[in-house]
Every structure is written in structure tokens, then in C-alpha cells.
Amino acid sequence: MIAGSAIYSKQTIIVSSDERLKENVARIDPDDCTEFISKLDVKTFNYIGDDKPCIGVIAQDLQGSKFEKIFATEQSGEEGYLGVKAADLVFPLIAVVQNLSAEIDYLKHRV
């Protein structure tokens, strides 16, 4: 169901992820993800004309980053507003958690 600018679903939204649909597959450097995530400037805000508080990033803040082409997108229309593929931010977060987990394991066994 679409209500205003929100999309609601009673079911999980499944994004195509089959390897047969992909090319140029390469492992990402978890250190790059850690650097990217640590530099994200997460802010609170509200949309113009709506007093509901939100939390997120500003698309312009992603410009110039290593991952700009992955996360910052231009929405169609005359205004040329920028958008962020927020759901895709989960994957660098996974890489960061894996990286930190490996570092913790290393430090635990070092003592």
C-alpha cells in the first residue's frame, strides 16, 4: 500500500540477488566500509511541511565519497532531487560488523 510518501507491506520485500543476474562481482574491502560508515554524518531532520522527526543522511553529504555512485541517486523529475538507497547501507554495515568482530577475536586471543 502506498500512503503519501510511505510504502507499507505486510510481507518482506525481496530484492533480486541471484548470482546469475549479476556481473563484475568483487569482494569489498571491509576497511573501506569501516571508513565510509565512520564518516557518515547521520542527522535528525523533518521534511518541509511535515513536523514528523526523521533520522538519516543527506544525499549531498555522500557526494565525493568512494561509494557515491552506489548510494546517492538522482530522482527523476524537473527538480533533480537527490536520493539515498538507504536499504543498501545495511551491506557495508555487515562488512563493518564482520571486520570489528574479527578484530575483537584477534584481541581476545592475543592476551
Side-chain angles (χ1 to χ4, degrees), residues 5 23 39 43 48 51 62 64 79 83 97 101:
S5 62
E23 61 185 4
K39 289 183 179 178
K43 299 176 179 175
I48 297 169
D51 291 336
L62 297 176
E79 300 88 3
V97 169
S101 181

Side-chain angles (χ1 to χ4, degrees), residues 1-106:
M1 175 176 79
I2 299 175
S5 62
I7 298 174
Y8 296 89
S9 174
K10 292 181 181 177
Q11 299 295 321
T12 301
I13 297 172
I14 298 172
V15 178
S16 296
S17 187
D18 192 298
E19 182 179 36
R20 297 170 293 172
L21 299 171
K22 300 174 181 183
E23 61 185 4
N24 302 315
V25 176
R27 200 169 260 299
I28 192 155
D29 182 344
D31 290 332
D32 288 343
C33 291
T34 300
E35 180 181 348
F36 172 71
I37 293 297
S38 68
K39 289 183 179 178
L40 277 179
D41 192 8
V42 181
K43 299 176 179 175
T44 60
F45 58 90
N46 63 283
Y47 287 98
I48 297 169
D50 186 349
D51 291 336
K52 182 182 176 192
C54 299
I55 186 170
V57 297
I58 307 299
Q60 285 83 347
D61 292 346
L62 297 176
Q63 291 179 315
S65 77
K66 186 173 196 164
F67 298 117
E68 171 185 5
K69 291 183 179 182
I70 296 173
F71 297 110
T73 63
E74 188 170 327
Q75 298 176 3
S76 61
E78 291 179 25
E79 300 88 3
Y81 291 125
L82 297 178
V84 174
K85 294 190 280 183
D88 288 352
L89 289 171
V90 168
F91 302 110
L93 287 170
I94 291 170
V96 169
V97 169
Q98 291 171 335
N99 204 26
L100 292 173
S101 181
E103 191 174 326
I104 289 167
D105 287 344
Y106 169 78

Side-chain angles (χ1 to χ4, degrees), residues 103-111:
E103 191 174 326
I104 289 167
D105 287 344
Y106 169 78
L107 293 171
K108 279 182 182 177
H109 294 100
R110 200 173 135 201
V111 176

